[in-house]
Amino acid sequence: MGAATDGKTSPLIALLGGGIAGGIEAACTYPFEFAKTRVQLYGHQGVKNPFVVVTKVVKDEGIRALYKGCSTMIVGSIGKDAVRFLAFDSIRLLFEDPTTHTLTPSQSILSGMLAGILSSTAIVTPSERIKTALIDDAKTTRRFHSPWHCILSLYREQGLRRALYAGYITTTLKQIGTTGFRLGSYSIIKDFERARGVDVDGPVASFANGAVAGTVTTLATQPFDTVKTKAQQAREVGTLEALRVVLKEDGVFRGLWRGTVMRLGRTVVAGGILFTANEQAVKVLKTVIGK
């Protein structure tokens, strides 16, 4: 991403750098993701603090339950961020000014949105579906022994489309918004700072800019994430049914922005980690395998 602004990052380095960053980010922030998913599936129940949810899960179900679905998310995040960083870097080259290597705000967001469609179709929807089903199963029937067993069970019961692509529309809409706002706003911030002589390539600047981008992303895309999670639970639930249930349980604002505090806690940290890890990974990779 950062290196993409000089127009010289190879597709291989963009792919590897994004994958490394995605894996690190997912491993570091998974407890927040787990807490957010639980709240979206079963309601607030008076709890908004992610640390309270995490503590209760550890106390009632054991620490292993807290990481149910973590391996699926790590693998999915590696693939997701590899694809979307590569796609974003490739797409933005089509729009950027060849002299300044910058984009207009609308071009940055559009590049991110297109990258979001690609990543949702190739990686995000299947990995999110299995992760959510595993988290749901950990609290209910506890019948899935592993991610692979979950996939096979859902395939036998619901068919391939429902097993891997339940919630595809809302996931894709979320990814269009998430990738558009996250990568787009990060690119806008960096271009703005660079034009004013600010050093944007250090880890501190990368973390701060990524955290801001993560905050904007969360607030803008939370309704899609909430409905997507409800539609991807272990039992078969359609997107419209999921939306009706969420609105019936908590109303429009409280329902659609269910889990915002917990997701915000994750995405602010995750945004900082993701972009910092990507920037540093790209630098290391360039020294090891060249541009």
Side-chain angles (χ1 to χ4, degrees):
M1 245 302 293
T5 54
D6 62 12
K8 297 180 181 178
T9 301
S10 72
L12 176 61
I13 289 179
L15 187 72
L16 293 175
I20 292 169
I24 293 172
E25 178 265 319
C28 291
T29 63
Y30 189 75
F32 286 106
E33 176 68 17
F34 182 96
K36 181 267 301 182
T37 302
R38 273 289 177 87
V39 166
Q40 288 177 326
L41 286 173
Y42 307 116
H44 286 287
Q45 298 177 337
V47 180
K48 295 183 179 181
N49 188 325
F51 296 102
V52 174
V53 175
V54 168
T55 301
K56 181 174 176 54
V57 169
V58 172
K59 179 180 178 182
D60 295 345
E61 304 171 42
I63 194 168
R64 289 185 62 183
L66 187 62
Y67 285 87
K68 193 79 169 181
C70 183
S71 60
T72 302
M73 184 173 176
I74 290 175
V75 172
S77 292
I78 290 173
K80 171 188 70 178
D81 288 307
V83 169
R84 73 179 178 182
F85 273 107
L86 172 61
F88 183 79
D89 282 359
S90 300
I91 292 168
R92 68 165 285 143
L93 287 176
L94 300 175
F95 298 124
E96 73 176 19
D97 186 301
T99 303
T100 62
H101 300 297
T102 59
L103 304 177
T104 65
S106 61
Q107 289 173 332
S108 292
I109 293 174
L110 177 60
S111 297
M113 287 179 170
L114 294 175
I117 295 173
L118 292 174
S119 64
S120 176
T121 303
I123 302 291
V124 178
T125 300
S127 63
E128 284 283 314
R129 162 61 163 154
I130 300 307
K131 177 215 72 177
T132 303
L134 286 167
I135 291 176
D136 181 28
D137 179 71
K139 185 176 176 63
T140 54
T141 60
R142 301 188 182 184
R143 63 195 180 99
F144 299 144
H145 308 310
S146 66
W148 184 242
H149 181 243
C150 176
I151 292 172
L152 291 177
S153 299
L154 292 176
Y155 170 71
R156 286 193 296 265
E157 296 166 5
Q158 302 175 16
L160 181 62
R161 185 184 66 84
R162 288 293 308 172
L164 295 181
Y165 281 90
Y168 173 74
I169 293 176
T170 46
T171 302
T172 302
L173 289 173
K174 176 202 167 189
Q175 285 302 306
I176 290 173
T178 297
T179 310
F181 278 104
R182 177 176 279 187
L183 297 185
S185 60
Y186 183 78
S187 180
I188 291 169
I189 293 169
K190 287 192 66 175
D191 287 345
F192 177 83
E193 292 175 340
R194 184 180 285 107
R196 285 154 182 76
V198 178
D199 180 10
V200 298
D201 296 321
V204 174
S206 296
F207 191 96
N209 292 341
V212 173
T215 302
V216 172
T217 299
T218 299
L219 296 176
T221 63
Q222 186 64 25
F224 296 120
D225 187 71
T226 300
V227 177
K228 179 271 303 179
T229 298
K230 200 73 172 176
Q232 289 180 326
Q233 59 187 289
R235 71 182 182 88
E236 187 170 354
V237 179
T239 299
L240 291 179
E241 180 186 351
L243 176 60
R244 283 195 294 268
V245 170
V246 169
L247 295 179
K248 181 179 179 181
E249 289 176 347
D250 281 328
V252 176
F253 183 79
R254 185 178 172 86
L256 292 179
W257 272 267
R258 179 187 290 176
T260 298
V261 174
M262 299 181 189
R263 185 172 172 228
L264 194 59
R266 175 178 176 262
T267 53
V268 169
V269 176
I273 293 174
L274 180 67
F275 288 108
T276 304
N278 179 255
E279 300 275 5
Q280 299 309 307
V282 166
K283 288 180 182 179
V284 172
L285 289 168
K286 280 189 173 183
T287 63
V288 174
I289 62 178
K291 296 182 179 180

